[in-house]
Structure formats: structure tokens, C-alpha cells
Amino acid sequence: KNNFNYSIKGENLMTINRYLNNIGLNGEDQIVTVMDSPLDFHHSMFRDDNVSIELNKFMPKHRKIEYYSYNGDLEMLQMSITDSEHGTHVCGTVAGKNICENDNFELSHLNGNAPEAKILYAGHFNEVDSGFLVELMKSYNSSIFSNSWGSTGYEINLNYYYGLLAYSNP
């Protein structure tokens, strides 16, 4: 099904058939670990008006975020989040799900690939120890890890290390 059959929504939005979502593969009961720049938890794809974000704590009742790791307090995090956080983009692609009740712009077409999954945000990619990452994933039963880091050069040691980490923790 790797084709480019799409439909046009509105003036500039092309959508493809979500055939995996349509047959029930939507991330339900899955927790995806993401390590990237900060995740903007105020974004409509992650916001939960009924459950407040608590850093470094299990949040089983939050609709999208299971755990948010951050080296600082909530005020510091909110001040550090920018409008174009790559971590928000990555988490949205993976598991974003629009919460807006009045969806006049059909934002649900922008939901992630696994809109029913939850996010375990492990922290900023330059600040997370691999041992902590593995323990965090094991503690919260997350067997899926997504990273989307850019680099200007190939880092053979980093590539080997994360390959070994994945191999040692299937």
C-alpha cells in the first residue's frame, strides 16, 4: 500500500488513507518513548484540560502523556519551550491527537500515526543517560523508541552505542 493516493481537503491539505488506523491499528495500549527537544504539552495534540502536567511523575490519567522527564521545574520548562519545538513535531507525528471540540479546520487530519498511543517523554536528547532511558522504558512498559535527531556528520560511536542499546533491550 505504499502509494500516493491522496484526497484534497480544503485548499491546501492533502490526506492519505489511514488504512492501518482504519483496521484498528491506532496505537491503543501502546506507550512510545521520545527523546528530543521539549514537547509542548499545551499543544492541542497533547493538552489535557482535566489532568495537569507533573514532571518526572507517572501520569496514568493524562490523555496523551504518560511521563514527562525534565531537569528543572515546570516554570523553567514553560519558559524554555519555543513555538517550533522539534520534540512537539516528533511526538505529534507519532501519537498526536487533536483535542479541539470545534474542528472547523479538520485538524484531526493532522493526528499522528498512532493517535491512541501515549507518550513517554524521556527528555532532551543531549541530557538523557542511556541507563536512565532503558530503566524508564522498562518501568513504564514502553517497547517503542522514536528519535529523530539531525546531525551534520555520521557519528560511528553514537550509532554503535544506540544499536547496541536496542539489541540488548529488545
Side-chain angles (χ1 to χ4, degrees):
K1 297 214 176 199
N2 290 329
N3 56 42
F4 197 66
N5 293 332
Y6 60 89
S7 59
I8 304 293
K9 301 282 183 188
E11 291 181 31
N12 298 314
L13 180 64
M14 294 186 301
T15 63
I16 59 171
N17 183 359
R18 293 180 171 241
Y19 51 88
L20 292 176
N21 288 177
N22 295 342
I23 62 170
L25 294 173
N26 56 19
E28 189 172 1
D29 298 324
Q30 297 299 313
I31 299 170
V32 180
T33 300
V34 176
M35 189 166 63
D36 206 295
S37 68
L39 161 61
D40 183 355
F41 56 88
H42 295 295
H43 193 285
S44 68
M45 293 288 172
F46 309 104
R47 192 180 77 238
D48 187 331
D49 294 334
N50 299 312
V51 179
S52 298
I53 287 290
E54 294 186 65
L55 301 176
N56 307 311
K57 292 185 180 177
F58 181 47
M59 297 179 291
K61 300 216 183 284
H62 194 282
R63 76 175 192 96
K64 292 306 297 175
I65 303 170
E66 189 85 2
Y67 186 93
Y68 198 117
S69 179
Y70 183 73
N71 295 328
D73 62 23
L74 194 57
E75 186 177 335
M76 287 173 57
L77 172 61
Q78 290 182 133
M79 287 180 9
S80 73
I81 294 175
T82 67
D83 287 339
S84 59
E85 287 297 349
H86 190 258
T88 304
H89 159 73
V90 171
C91 290
T93 301
V94 170
K97 185 174 180 183
N98 184 39
I99 193 175
C100 295
E101 291 179 21
N102 185 358
D103 194 8
N104 290 338
F105 298 104
E106 297 187 62
L107 296 176
S108 59
H109 289 294
L110 303 175
N111 286 350
N113 290 293
E116 299 304 321
K118 289 182 131 187
I119 297 290
L120 188 162
Y121 178 74
H124 193 282
F125 60 90
N126 287 330
E127 300 171 358
V128 179
D129 174 75
S130 61
F132 173 76
L133 175 67
V134 169
E135 289 307 312
L136 194 61
M137 290 179 72
K138 286 180 180 178
S139 294
Y140 294 100
N141 199 27
S142 173
S143 58
I144 305 166
F145 176 58
S146 175
N147 58 55
S148 175
W149 316 324
S151 178
T152 56
Y154 180 74
E155 297 284 338
I156 192 166
N157 292 333
L158 192 60
N159 185 59
Y160 171 79
Y161 192 68
Y162 276 96
L164 181 61
L165 193 64
Y167 178 78
S168 301
N169 297 282

